[in-house]
């Protein structure tokens, strides 16, 4: 799944400006070239590219004994996309009274794993094969849940309804990533009570005794992508996303302000 996650992070980063992912290149560095491992990684990359609608056009694999251990490897990837200048999405399109629509995540989405590893392995002393009743599976299975890829959904949504901006929720959480696509003349107010994060998020906080503010700065809290849409487009946007199997809901609104994001209330459930 690590190759799948690699693609998800880059294609969903460029789609926020309305760019269609065209092709992906990858680089795999390893301490010892184990063909079966490389094949598994590339298979995940290829599967994710198919979902994102882009081509895996090439890549490179390099063996670095002495620099990396025999079981160590490092992945990098880059995606190229295209968008017409007059269709660029971003802060210049966002207006007061716009509505913020959330798209549910599949879990941690490749972010915050330094904190998660510290909580479960260093503090709790757990192993990956530990069955966790609250999660309904082992810890390792939960942590390997692949990143949900939104690029193809975001492209089709922007073609169908009046989308003004997207925010890919990665490191920095909801507030920091949404603030990047707001002009300095508006604020966004998000309502925590509009959704219930998956159990893994509360579990990290409880086991590690991590304060909510720190969790929200580090993890996506169950929201992988945000769309800012015109008020008249909200129902159609949610219906279209739901038809494609993605949980979607109104999470907040845009108001006149100074470019900040506030989260209010408590999480549902």
């Amino acid at each position: 799944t690590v190759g799948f996650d690699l693609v998800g992070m880059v294609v969903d980063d460029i789609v926020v400006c309305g760019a269609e992912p065209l092709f992906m290149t990858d680089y795999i560095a390893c301490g010892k070239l184990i063909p079966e491992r490389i094949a598994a990684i590339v298979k995940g990359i290829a599967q994710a590219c198919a979902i994102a609608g882009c081509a895996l056009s090439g890549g490179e694999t390099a063996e670095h004994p002495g620099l990396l251990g025999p079981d160590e490897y490092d992945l990098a990837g880059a995606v190229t996309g295209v968008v017409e200048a007059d269709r660029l999405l971003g802060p210049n399109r966002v207006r007061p009274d716009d509505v913020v629509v959330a798209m549910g995540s599949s879990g941690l989405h490749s972010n915050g794993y330094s904190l998660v590893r510290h909580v479960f392995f260093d503090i709790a002393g757990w192993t990956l094969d530990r069955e966790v009743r609250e999660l309904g599976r082992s810890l390792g299975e939960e942590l390997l849940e692949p990143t949900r890829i939104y690029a193809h959904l975001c492209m089709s949504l922007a073609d169908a309804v009046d989308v003004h901006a997207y925010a890919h929720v990665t490191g920095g959480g909801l507030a920091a990533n949404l603030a990047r696509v707001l002009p300095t003349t508006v604020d966004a107010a998000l309502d925590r009570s509009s959704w219930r994060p998956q159990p893994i998020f509360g579990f990290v906080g409880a086991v590690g005794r991590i304060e909510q503010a720190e969790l929200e700065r580090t993890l996506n809290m169950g929201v992988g992508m945000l769309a800012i849409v015109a008020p008249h487009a909200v129902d159609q946007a949610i219906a279209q996303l739901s038809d494609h199997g993605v949980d979607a809901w109104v999470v907040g609104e845009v108001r006149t302000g100074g470019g900040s994001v506030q989260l209010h209330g408590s999480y549902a459930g």
Side-chain angles (χ1 to χ4, degrees):
T1 60
V2 68
F4 196 99
D5 292 336
L6 175 70
V7 176
M9 288 297 101
V10 293
V11 297
D12 286 344
D13 269 353
I14 71 165
V15 80
V16 298
C17 70
E20 177 186 3
L22 297 181
F23 59 86
M24 173 95 181
T25 56
D26 65 71
Y27 174 74
I28 307 173
C30 56
K32 181 179 180 181
L33 201 158
I34 302 174
E36 295 80 8
R37 176 179 292 164
I38 300 300
I41 293 171
V42 174
K43 181 179 180 181
I45 294 173
Q47 289 174 336
C49 284
I51 291 174
C54 67
L56 178 57
S57 62
E60 182 177 352
T61 302
E63 195 173 29
H64 294 287
L67 179 63
L68 296 171
D71 293 324
E72 294 180 336
Y73 58 88
D74 183 41
L75 306 184
V79 67
T80 299
V82 64
V83 59
E84 297 294 337
D86 61 357
R87 298 198 65 186
L88 274 169
L89 304 179
N92 62 305
R93 292 179 179 259
V94 178
R95 302 286 186 270
D97 297 324
D98 280 351
V99 177
V100 185
V101 174
M103 303 179 210
S105 71
S106 59
L108 295 170
H109 277 201
S110 311
N111 286 285
Y113 274 75
S114 294
L115 174 63
V116 171
R117 286 196 302 269
H118 175 65
V119 167
F120 290 127
F121 304 149
D122 299 336
I123 295 178
W126 291 0
T127 57
L128 289 170
D129 59 359
R130 181 188 177 104
E131 293 293 329
V132 183
R133 179 176 55 83
E134 293 85 348
L135 301 178
R137 54 183 171 177
S138 72
L139 178 63
E141 289 171 325
E142 179 70 29
L143 300 187
L144 287 174
E145 180 67 35
T147 297
R148 174 169 284 160
I149 294 176
Y150 303 92
H152 57 305
L153 300 174
C154 290
M155 290 301 302
S156 61
L157 187 65
D159 286 339
V161 305
D162 191 4
V163 176
H164 293 166
Y166 288 117
H168 184 200
V169 184
T170 55
L174 287 160
N177 286 283
L178 184 56
R180 295 167 63 182
V181 297
L182 296 180
T184 57
T185 55
V186 302
D187 290 338
L190 306 184
D191 181 8
R192 294 187 186 94
S193 69
S194 65
W195 84 98
R196 182 179 183 178
Q198 294 99 317
I200 184 63
F201 297 101
F203 213 51
V204 172
V207 174
R209 299 182 180 179
I210 309 296
E211 295 183 358
Q212 179 173 288
E214 177 66 15
L215 288 177
E216 292 179 340
R217 281 194 298 268
T218 308
L219 306 177
N220 67 55
M221 302 306 292
V223 179
M225 182 75 75
L226 295 166
I228 301 178
V229 302
H232 65 82
V234 174
D235 291 343
Q236 185 179 350
I238 291 176
Q240 182 167 325
L241 291 168
S242 298
D243 286 345
H244 285 87
V246 174
D247 291 334
W249 65 94
V250 172
V251 70
E253 61 183 3
V254 177
R255 308 166 177 169
T256 300
S260 65
V261 178
Q262 298 94 33
L263 276 74
H264 304 285
S266 301
Y267 292 110

